[in-house]
Amino acid sequence: MEYDEDARWDKPATLSTYLTHKDISEASSGSLIGSPDSKRYDSPVLKLIGESKQKHYRKVCMPLTTEKWKERWSKMCLLPSESSEEDKELAAKTAEKWRLNPAFERGEVTITRLDEAEGIIVMISDWLELDAADDWVRHDAEIALKQELAYAAYLNVHTAILPAPRNRDHVASYARMVNSCLTKYPYICLSIRLPIYNPSAFHPTSPTPVSPFPDSSISSSAGTPSLIISESEGTAHSSRGSVNATWEMWDLIRSMCEYNIKLTLTLDLSPALPTTLGVLSKWAAESVRHIYLPASTFIANAKGYPVLPKPTQQFIRDSMIHRPTIILAGVSEGQHSKGGEVAYSQYVRHLEKTSPAVMTLRKEGTVENFAQGYQDYLQAPLQPLMDNLPSITYQTFEQDPVKYMQYEEAMYRAFLDHPKDQKIVVCVAGAGRGPLVARCFKALARSQRKATVIAVEKNPNALVTLQERHAKEWSSHDFHLVFGDMRLVDVPEKADILVSELLGSFGDNELSPECLDGAMRFLKPSGISIPSSYTAHLAPLSSSKLYNEARSTKQEKSMETPYVVMFQAVNILSGTKATADGRCGPQVQECWEFEHPRRDALVNDQGLPFTNSHNARSAKLRFYIPHAGILHGLAGYFEAVLYGNIGLSIHPHRKDQVSKDMLSWFPLFFPFKEPLYLPSNSELQVSIWRLTSDRQVWYEWHAESFITIPSRASVSEELTGQSLSPSFSGNSSFSSMASPLIDPKELAYLDVNRLSIPDNDGGEYDTVKIGHTSLHNPGGRSSWIGL
Amino acid sequence: MEYDEDARWDKPATLSTYLTHKDISEASSGSLIGSPDSKRYDSPVLKLIGESKQKHYRKVCMPLTTEKWKERWSKMCLLPSESSEEDKELAAKTAEKWRLNPAFERGEVTITRLDEAEGIIVMISDWLELDAADDWVRHDAEIALKQELAYAAYLNVHTAILPAPRNRDHVASYARMVNSCLTKYPYICLSIRLPIYNPSAFHPTSPTPVSPFPDSSISSSAGTPSLIISESEGTAHSSRGSVNATWEMWDLIRSMCEYNIKLTLTLDLSPALPTTLGVLSKWAAESVRHIYLPASTFIANAKGYPVLPKPTQQFIRDSMIHRPTIILAGVSEGQHSKGGEVAYSQYVRHLEKTSPAVMTLRKEGTVENFAQGYQDYLQAPLQPLMDNLPSITYQTFEQDPVKYMQYEEAMYRAFLDHPKDQKIVVCVAGAGRGPLVARCFKALARSQRKATVIAVEKNPNALVTLQERHAKEWSSHDFHLVFGDMRLVDVPEKADILVSELLGSFGDNELSPECLDGAMRFLKPSGISIPSSYTAHLAPLSSSKLYNEARSTKQEKSMETPYVVMFQAVNILSGTKATADGRCGPQVQECWEFEHPRRDALVNDQGLPFTNSHNARSAKLRFYIPHAGILHGLAGYFEAVLYGNIGLSIHPHRKDQVSKDMLSWFPLFFPFKEPLYLPSNSELQVSIWRLTSDRQVWYEWHAESFITIPSRASVSEELTGQSLSPSFSGNSSFSSMASPLIDPKELAYLDVNRLSIPDNDGGEYDTVKIGHTSLHNPGGRSSWIGL
């Protein structure tokens, strides 16, 4: 991916209007004739589009087909069982001829001209049951879908919204068809319409009887399938089941379509959202292109103007950062007494302006503002030890107002802790173009201390800048410049304080531990290091965008390398808090720590370590996953203690307290090659290793997924005729309740793959393994760090 | 893979002896001096090897290192906490020097010479805790492991057995090390020793206290780790947990090692097996290279001779088909009163000879005997419609005694159902070299009927054979030969009976439906087809071997194509019976059926179908998975009704009743690109589609995995303040028992990804999605069938 100039936040959200069949037929039926518009527009549709543009809608969305097409298709493909044999045979023959050469008649489509279709988002016939329970309905719905897409492609339509999946039991068939269409019509983006939340199960006035999902079939048996007519104004809702079932369907569809980037989502907000907003954050990690927002979702405020219920408001606000197209439907129908049609658009614009994420993005000085255009853009981490950085890179990082303020403050406090009359020796290890040296002199002045300052730098090019600054800025100071690698050179005098800025996004990933091992020779026995310690932190992440970005780099090892990324379209999958029993830690967990100087240092005669073994690390973390999601990678963060309580942090929960608005580090992203499905209420175990050989340092990472379920271990007493262990006894509440899946004969084997873990509360739970990723970057396959 | 001549069953199982430290030290301590052997052998180890050969062991297995090495390593790397600071620093320094240059001293290894190591299987130090809970013990164990493997590689050792994984919590680290070694030592095969069953949890005299797994750590905290000393005679057992926990560890290791073919299993039968043999069939699908069988596992029979307990007997018998090396340990120690050392080998040989699988393989006329050398060998299915078969292929299939007998019997019975005085017209569609024509004449003679026989054949080469047989064998009969594709040519007379043999391993996969559609024009309105119908069947399959074979073909689409395979190293994952509630079907399930002639045929003026839509099929199957396993693919079978109750079947449960010893068809294997982990007591939903365009027919397939757990849906009442639906009420037994994983604050969201399915028994269960495969062969990407 290239840096995207257009991604800068200078455009407002795109608003689209939705034209209904009624709009189109009204425009067609005479209103054009004789009106002043009759000369301006060549067709009713062009007139409607023209009017929409005048109302400042940037896009127009409309159905592609008319009721006539629905009638013909239904007559051919959905014969009522009471039809006569002759009627059936006639219909069968008509259908066979249609299947051989699927084609529309003129009145069956809403648009017929290239200019009518320009920039239009079309809705594919929403009555097509691509996931009908009946095989033949599905079969003919697929032919119809392809006929519609072929026609749309003929008219150069770029975006088509598909009918919502309705039947969990046949979503795999729906997905297979979509995948086939993505290949067959390579120039159309397909967007899956999906009611984000389906309240039909809670709705007493639901028009169709609620049947248990997924055993229910929406279509009836062969020959007489019924249809769910999903009207665009959202009076009928097609999918069933609980809030997240719709996400699960989406996940299956995009997975089976191999995360095709031409496949997006149209979230349907027809029903107002429930108050459980927690589960909605997952949509941030998905490819949401459109939000379908009908007038019926709006409520009237005290004055009668249309507004949205609070949860829907908040969802729209949060979504604005991802810049979806908002499709406003039915807004011309006067459902609210005040404000007219324009009130809806104005309200959406208001939500955009008051979106906290958008406001942060627009505010000067925030990292979000600074990072515009870099959101979700994968960068290879810097390797300053291996590569000599160019001046422009130094300049970018020197612009960070917070980081150097923190360094100055840390040095200032360290100096204050030195007796006023003693001269201090400060060594800046890795001085670059000199920002820390400059801050050091400031801190000395503030603390009224005197010091010898030694700067060590291995980049010969930066050395010229340092010499220039020495001559021009620092000539009055006791300043010494040493050229060379801090692991090899010697300094004229041992230091009290060693200051360095070698940290990467994950703390140690730019080899700070190894470099500082080499520089510890410069310190007096009582000397200290700024930073004095740093820690690496991880959280499990979902992001279709990052997954696709990492895959699309096309380098063989693109999934074996961590990237530096400013996260935007992501969702952290772990629950915010540690579990009550302490088994799983918090949302973001610490992997390991490095301290300088090392307390257990064992060095050779040159003051260098014998091996790098002491810098190897490993961590095994347990995350609680409250809501189902797809694991695409790990987010990596760091925290550092500079001196005392002065620190640096990009930890999402603590960065604002520690070093607010610090710009220098975006998080790290460790990708996983194969997305891993994590169910609700599951446990994710992450292993990560920092490994080292004589020549390099690298990370390997891996994850395993578990689900914790009530124990059935007591049945295994049949296995041996004795109790497994004391903790297994007294577990009567579950053992008597066999699953409907369990054949009684199988019961004896049931426990065999379960590890029963008596928990602190005395309950009995089994932790059942359900999946894992592969081992990433084994043997430093992609060795992005060289010593 | 090439056809493997060596794979024919002419060699008995390989027996190996295990040399202990005691054996080696006794051989070293003087017994060599002055003995008659002293000149024959250059070293004590060579003497022991020589003696083993004399005792007819084909292989020798022995430890690579001695007690001295264990002492030195422990002293360096495992400091007791009560050590003095000086001792600690000294040890730390010694360890650092060792880490820098890991090397043995002479007395620390059992073998030192190339000739000693020749053909030896070495045991890596079994006290190395590669999965210790303590980071630094693991770190140093890895260095020791690599030191041992480097030494083994120096001595040209080809096989090394690694210590058993012990600690589920750190198996990922163990696996990472193994993977690293596989890369680093490319010429050594690594075999993971694994106790197939660990009874320590059941064992009252277990030497170490049983602590709950996996929270327990085998090593103690840093600095003072304890060691599990796993003695080779199997008196101590290292892994914990239930029967299948060991398989789960193996699965993680080989998955993290990417199914490396140099990684195998050494199953340790030190404890006798339990009676639950059902769970052991999974080892058939794994790469078991060695079976470690100590004398202590044997019991004495009434006469005092060593025999194995029944379950262990049966397991060894079943394993023999996979030809592992049996490592007999401690057999020279006289643990049993009768028979001496040779009794153990003789007993194992006896088990081999009485193994039902081996006996079937050795018996002439069985498909297993016929298929020798083809076990687990992937073949592309025949495409007789696209390719004209060579004579040798016809000949192979004509050798099947059962298939043609069934055809003759079917024709015979069909003829008998015709009035004796009426002439019958028989058309053989796709006559090949004429086997069905010949059987037709036999059946006519047996039934004393007269017939006109018309043979249609499109292969111009086979036509020559048919002409020759016509002239030589069938000249006295009323026989007509028609050259051409049965979908295009005409026959001189309409037939009463159409006979064809167009079936593939999956029934319709060689395009029998499409070909017979074309040939139905040859039939009189009352005419019949032999076969009259056929069905396709699937079962979920686990097989590391087939997975690796499919991957190794290196063709880009090798995982998108079904293969014909004679299964051997496989395990069907589905439970043998349908579940009590009818939700999941039986072990092998029917996908779809084709009937001839079609009842709903709709044809054009030429008697041909308008489209091929009617031959599209799809199936959604639900399998119950009783024991955890890895899904690598689907096994495909067919059954056909020829006439009346005469049929053909390769369905594993029915083939022996329908058409025993029929040789013509091996099953089909539909591979999955990504192995899918299926937990115990889970549900697998398989979707498969038979798709068709104008030009081709292909299959697409996909699977989703679910786990069924007691419902917690009632907590969601908090979500809306009202009951979800009537069926959710009264569910008090689980709602009060929160998982230790659940933070009370999260409870309100808990249900969101669960679909609650009230089952027939009134219990409440949620079916939770836990994983899926990708969609295979989308759009006929790999179009192995052309119309």
Side-chain angles (χ1 to χ4, degrees), chain B residues 747-763:
Chain B
L747 268 177
Y749 307 119
L750 239 191
D751 70 310
V752 292
N753 205 39
R754 298 241 164 100
L755 311 176
S756 189
I757 301 153
D759 73 294
N760 297 339
D761 308 330

Side-chain angles (χ1 to χ4, degrees), chain A residues 202-258:
Chain A
F202 306 93
H203 211 285
T205 61
S206 182
T208 46
V210 179
S211 56
F213 186 88
D215 277 328
S216 72
S217 64
I218 285 161
S219 300
S220 61
S221 59
T224 58
S226 68
L227 279 182
I228 289 281
I229 308 303
S230 171
E231 293 184 4
S232 42
E233 278 67 45
T235 52
H237 306 293
S238 45
S239 90
R240 283 139 206 254
S242 52
V243 181
N244 262 23
T246 52
W247 175 82
E248 191 181 305
M249 293 201 281
W250 159 249
D251 172 59
L252 185 63
I253 295 164
R254 63 90 185 270
S255 298
M256 287 180 68
C257 294
E258 294 179 344

Side-chain angles (χ1 to χ4, degrees), chain A residues 237-369:
Chain A
H237 306 293
S238 45
S239 90
R240 283 139 206 254
S242 52
V243 181
N244 262 23
T246 52
W247 175 82
E248 191 181 305
M249 293 201 281
W250 159 249
D251 172 59
L252 185 63
I253 295 164
R254 63 90 185 270
S255 298
M256 287 180 68
C257 294
E258 294 179 344
Y259 286 71
N260 193 311
I261 54 165
K262 290 188 298 126
L263 182 68
T264 66
L265 263 173
T266 297
L267 289 182
D268 184 342
L269 289 185
S270 293
L273 294 177
T275 50
T276 56
L277 274 174
V279 303
L280 297 178
S281 60
K282 64 172 52 173
W283 295 108
E286 304 295 349
S287 178
V288 178
R289 174 73 61 88
H290 310 106
I291 291 177
Y292 181 83
L293 186 61
S296 58
T297 299
F298 287 78
I299 50 177
N301 68 5
K303 295 179 184 169
Y305 285 88
V307 296
L308 288 169
K310 276 247 151 42
T312 308
Q313 265 182 45
Q314 190 181 327
F315 182 74
I316 298 269
R317 278 203 179 95
D318 291 347
S319 299
M320 281 300 183
I321 196 92
H322 307 297
R323 300 204 286 183
T325 293
I326 311 280
I327 302 174
L328 289 166
V331 289
S332 63
E333 291 169 13
Q335 291 193 31
H336 299 84
S337 57
K338 289 284 178 61
E341 182 170 348
V342 73
Y344 301 92
S345 309
Q346 281 173 344
Y347 183 74
V348 171
R349 292 265 175 248
H350 160 73
L351 292 183
E352 181 180 17
K353 276 183 209 134
T354 54
S355 156
V358 172
M359 285 163 70
T360 305
L361 195 71
R362 288 178 172 171
K363 187 176 164 194
E364 287 279 331
T366 64
V367 61
E368 288 81 2
N369 182 273

Side-chain angles (χ1 to χ4, degrees), chain A residues 138-139 168-169 173 202 244 276 579 613 618 620 622 628 680 689 704 719 724 734 738 741 749 752-753 765, chain B residues 138-139 168-169 173 244 276 579 613 618 620 622 627-628 680 689 704 719 724 734 738 741 752-753 765:
Chain A
R138 280 205 312 277
H139 180 273
R168 179 63 183 89
D169 218 24
S173 282
F202 306 93
N244 262 23
T276 56
T579 51
S613 278
S618 78
K620 170 105 187 230
R622 291 170 197 265
S680 294
W689 299 269
E704 267 189 285
L719 201 72
L724 282 170
F734 293 110
L741 280 179
Y749 306 118
V752 292
N753 205 38
Y765 290 90
Chain B
R138 279 205 312 277
H139 181 272
R168 179 63 182 87
D169 218 24
S173 281
N244 262 24
T276 56
T579 51
S613 278
S618 77
K620 170 105 187 231
R622 291 169 197 267
H627 313 297
S680 294
W689 298 268
E704 269 189 283
L719 201 72
L724 283 169
F734 291 109
L741 280 179
V752 292
N753 205 39
Y765 290 91

Side-chain angles (χ1 to χ4, degrees), chain A residues 89 92-93 96 99-100 135-136 138-139 168-169 172-173 176 179 201-202 212-215 242-245 248 251-252 255-256 258 276 279 575-579 581 583-584 602 610-611 613-614 616 618 620 622 624 626-628 673 677 679-681 683 687 689 691 700 702 704 706 708-710 712 719-720 722 724 733-734 737-743 745-746 749-759 765 768-772 775 778 781, chain B residues 92-93 96 99-100 135-136 138-139 168-169 172-173 176 179 201-202 212-215 242-245 248 251-252 255-256 258 276 279 575-579 581 583-584 602 610-611 613-614 616 618 620 622 624 626-628 673 677 679-681 683 687 689 691 700 702 704 706 708-710 712 719-720 722 724 733-734 737-743 745-746 749-759 765 768-772 775 778 781:
Chain A
E89 199 179 315
K93 216 157 208 164
E96 268 293 87
R99 289 181 195 115
L100 192 61
D135 285 0
W136 298 108
R138 280 205 312 277
H139 180 273
R168 179 63 183 89
D169 218 24
S173 282
R176 185 195 58 70
N179 187 56
F202 306 93
F213 186 88
D215 277 328
S242 52
V243 181
N244 262 23
E248 191 181 305
D251 172 59
L252 185 63
S255 298
M256 287 180 68
E258 294 179 344
T276 56
V279 303
T576 48
K577 286 196 193 163
T579 51
D581 65 346
R583 184 173 163 87
C584 293
L602 199 66
F610 290 92
T611 73
S613 278
H614 59 281
S618 78
K620 170 105 187 230
R622 291 170 197 265
Y624 171 60
H627 313 297
K673 273 186 287 232
Y677 189 95
S680 294
N681 193 28
E683 176 178 318
S687 296
W689 299 269
L691 296 163
E700 298 185 20
H702 174 261
E704 267 189 285
F706 297 85
T708 296
I709 60 174
R712 292 191 185 98
L719 201 72
T720 58
Q722 64 182 86
L724 282 170
S733 49
F734 293 110
M737 303 190 64
S739 154
L741 280 179
I742 307 163
D743 186 275
K745 298 225 171 132
E746 308 272 16
Y749 306 118
L750 240 190
D751 70 311
V752 292
N753 205 38
R754 298 242 163 94
L755 311 176
S756 189
I757 301 151
D759 73 296
Y765 290 90
V768 178
K769 159 90 173 255
I770 54 169
H772 58 245
L775 175 65
R781 207 182 260 180
Chain B
K93 216 158 208 163
E96 267 293 86
R99 288 180 197 117
L100 193 60
D135 285 0
W136 299 108
R138 279 205 312 277
H139 181 272
R168 179 63 182 87
D169 218 24
S173 281
R176 186 196 57 70
N179 187 55
F202 306 93
F213 187 90
D215 277 327
S242 52
V243 180
N244 262 24
E248 191 181 304
D251 173 59
L252 185 63
S255 298
M256 286 179 69
E258 294 180 344
T276 56
V279 304
T576 48
K577 285 196 197 165
T579 51
D581 64 347
R583 186 174 162 87
C584 293
L602 199 69
F610 291 92
T611 73
S613 278
H614 59 281
S618 77
K620 170 105 187 231
R622 291 169 197 267
Y624 172 59
H627 313 297
K673 275 186 286 231
Y677 189 95
S680 294
N681 193 28
E683 176 178 316
S687 296
W689 298 268
L691 295 164
E700 299 185 20
H702 174 261
E704 269 189 283
F706 297 85
T708 295
I709 60 174
R712 293 191 183 98
L719 201 72
T720 58
Q722 64 184 85
L724 283 169
S733 48
F734 291 109
M737 303 189 64
S739 154
L741 280 179
I742 307 165
D743 186 276
K745 299 225 173 134
E746 308 271 16
Y749 307 119
L750 239 191
D751 70 310
V752 292
N753 205 39
R754 298 241 164 100
L755 311 176
S756 189
I757 301 153
D759 73 294
Y765 290 91
V768 178
K769 158 90 175 255
I770 54 169
H772 59 244
L775 175 65
R781 211 182 257 181

